[in-house]
Amino acid sequence: MKIKKFLLSIIICICVFGFVGCNQKQKQVEEPPEEVLHPNGSGEGNDTKTPYDGSLLSGVVTAKIGLNDNTDYTIDMYNNAAVDTILGYLSEEEMRFPTYTYEEKDGYVAQNIRGTYSRDDEVEVTQIHAGELYLFSDGQLRLYFKDVANAGISATPVGYFSGVDNITELVQTAYKENRDDSWGVDVYFLIKKNSH
């Protein structure tokens, strides 16, 4: 009788571990297909793809801050692998981009974004200037709307708002206007990729 109970316990354990293993395989997140990442054929294997040389992609994105400001602000992006993946998701039609994290003290808004990102272009950042965008290794994209003197972060530089002197006030105003949002969004941005 004890042997039967022991064998039954072993069989149950094997089944449980097998079931857990199957569930873990089902939860793996895979890279989206190439046509989703690069709908216009700008993905790997395209001979016209620009090499990653750290140069600046001037005015490649425009954004409106909040839902009540109709001004288009220019974003210059760095030419690196993370930016290439981000640009693959953007459209030349205006898209609503929600941020669900607003950190007044640390001076940033953030949202986790789709995609698989390497840490190849990650740097140690000590000084942050208002208007700069950084991507963290967990996929969190942050827009800093305040200067940070001793940041001490490791992140990939993505770009910055060009020629915007009052980004602190713009983001704070958009946050105040959107505090009662039923979706829990802190600040909306309306973004689009510009054709070059």
Side-chain angles (χ1 to χ4, degrees):
M1 190 67 163
K2 287 183 180 180
I3 293 175
K4 285 183 181 179
K5 285 184 180 180
F6 178 72
L7 288 174
L8 184 60
S9 297
I10 290 175
I11 291 170
I12 290 171
C13 286
I14 290 171
C15 290
V16 167
F17 286 127
F19 179 74
V20 168
C22 289
N23 274 351
Q24 286 176 344
K25 287 179 185 173
Q26 290 174 354
K27 289 181 181 178
Q28 283 182 334
V29 177
E30 296 181 14
E31 180 78 13
E34 188 61 28
E35 61 270 15
V36 172
L37 285 174
H38 304 282
N40 296 322
S42 61
E44 290 179 356
N46 186 340
D47 293 334
T48 62
K49 188 174 180 180
T50 309
Y52 307 122
D53 58 4
S55 62
L56 197 62
L57 303 171
S58 234
V60 71
V61 173
T62 53
K64 292 176 181 165
I65 301 172
L67 299 177
N68 297 317
D69 184 353
N70 288 323
T71 307
D72 282 323
Y73 300 100
T74 300
I75 302 174
D76 294 337
M77 309 280 271
Y78 296 110
N79 187 17
N80 60 38
V83 168
D84 187 58
T85 301
I86 292 168
L87 291 177
Y89 289 124
L90 296 182
S91 167
E92 292 180 11
E93 300 294 320
E94 201 168 66
M95 296 169 56
R96 189 172 287 196
F97 183 85
T99 59
Y100 291 94
T101 302
Y102 177 89
E103 292 290 342
E104 175 68 34
K105 181 176 172 285
D106 297 321
Y108 68 82
V109 289
Q111 171 63 331
N112 284 17
I113 57 173
R114 297 182 297 166
T116 301
Y117 300 94
S118 76
R119 300 177 73 174
D120 294 346
D121 298 305
E122 192 173 271
V123 295
E124 297 297 317
V125 182
T126 54
Q127 291 270 116
I128 295 175
H129 301 286
E132 291 181 336
L133 293 149
Y134 290 94
L135 180 67
F136 288 76
S137 58
D138 62 356
Q140 186 184 70
L141 180 66
R142 289 185 187 177
L143 164 63
Y144 283 86
F145 59 90
K146 291 182 179 178
D147 292 340
V148 181
N150 299 306
I153 63 168
S154 296
T156 301
V158 170
Y160 57 89
F161 277 74
S162 176
V164 184
D165 297 329
N166 59 339
I167 193 143
T168 303
E169 292 80 14
L170 291 169
V171 172
Q172 288 171 331
T173 299
Y175 173 70
K176 288 174 189 167
E177 290 171 347
N178 211 52
R179 269 192 288 205
D180 295 327
D181 182 82
S182 60
W183 298 101
V185 175
D186 287 322
V187 179
Y188 281 109
F189 294 82
L190 300 170
I191 59 176
K192 67 177 180 178
K193 178 170 59 176
N194 296 323
S195 58
H196 284 311

